[in-house]
Amino acid sequence: DGLVSYPDLVVFVRDPNHHHVAHRFRAELNKLGVVPATVRQLLEESDTNDSKLVGMVDFERVLGRLGIALGHDEVRRLAMRFDDNEDGNLSIKRIISFVMGEHEAAGDQALSSTEVDELLAKLQRAVAKAQLNHMSCREIFQHFDADGSGDVNEREFAEGLGRIGFDLTREEVRVL
């Protein structure tokens, strides 16, 4: 959707290779022909207190029921993406939004995979440097979230990158 949320930034900071797990998850969903309605139904069945959240154990159980072949560590890494406030409770809405998202297609981007990996590594180093300067993930996120909306749009992301010395084209920003 062109926005970066706080959980998205946390995933990037803590697991810069997360996109590999996300791609594997989508590939498994596609291979098995899993539809979002089925995922939603199983997640909602696991949400016994109607909180619109599921815990890690329930999330892993749902993936198993769907036949998704991801290891425990991969499931944990994937789950970070859906944990709005780092408390171990995963947003059903975020999970379904991800499942309903566009399929990741190889070759659709102007940059090569190596170039994308290099840009991600450069950004990861900048974030690590900010953390060494005692900035929390929340403070790093707020650096980009200029309007305080809780999401970072493409313009805010590009401007925030510029403020920390990244000189990227519009396409490079879009790919990141």
Side-chain angles (χ1 to χ4, degrees):
D1 63 3
L3 298 176
V4 176
S5 66
Y6 176 67
D8 296 330
L9 179 72
V10 169
V11 166
F12 176 76
V13 169
R14 297 207 174 132
D15 186 2
N17 293 315
H18 175 270
H19 59 282
H20 296 299
V21 175
H23 181 75
R24 269 188 34 83
F25 179 53
R26 282 217 172 105
E28 286 285 317
L29 290 169
N30 292 335
K31 179 176 79 175
L32 297 168
V34 175
V35 295
T38 303
V39 177
R40 180 185 307 278
Q41 178 185 350
L42 292 175
L43 290 168
E44 288 175 350
E45 287 172 8
S46 296
D47 178 19
T48 57
N49 64 357
D50 202 29
S51 65
K52 308 297 184 219
L53 302 168
V54 293
M56 269 294 303
V57 172
D58 289 326
F59 181 61
E60 193 163 8
R61 191 175 296 131
V62 166
L63 295 184
R65 288 178 64 190
L66 292 168
I68 304 295
L70 294 176
H72 176 73
D73 187 57
E74 290 175 307
V75 172
R76 183 190 56 73
R77 290 172 59 205
L78 181 65
M80 281 192 297
R81 179 183 203 108
F82 311 122
D83 188 346
D84 286 335
N85 55 11
E86 301 179 82
D87 64 358
N89 293 309
L90 314 180
S91 164
I92 292 174
K93 180 180 177 183
R94 286 183 61 84
I95 296 168
I96 297 304
S97 292
F98 180 81
V99 170
M100 292 175 61
E102 295 178 323
H103 299 296
E104 296 173 356
D108 284 355
Q109 54 197 25
L111 300 174
S112 72
S113 177
T114 301
E115 290 169 319
V116 170
D117 287 344
E118 288 170 1
L119 284 173
L120 288 172
K122 183 178 177 184
L123 183 55
Q124 180 67 24
R125 286 190 300 273
V127 169
K129 182 178 177 183
Q131 286 182 310
L132 285 175
N133 290 325
H134 305 289
M135 287 183 75
S136 69
C137 282
R138 179 70 63 189
E139 290 169 320
I140 294 168
F141 180 77
Q142 289 169 341
H143 167 82
F144 289 96
D145 187 18
D147 65 4
S149 67
D151 289 309
V152 176
N153 63 32
E154 189 176 314
R155 180 190 52 77
E156 289 174 314
F157 188 57
E159 289 172 0
L161 288 172
R163 286 192 302 271
I164 59 174
F166 278 78
D167 183 25
L168 301 177
T169 67
R170 182 181 209 123
E171 181 60 25
E172 289 170 329
V173 169
R174 192 169 288 128
V175 168
L176 286 176

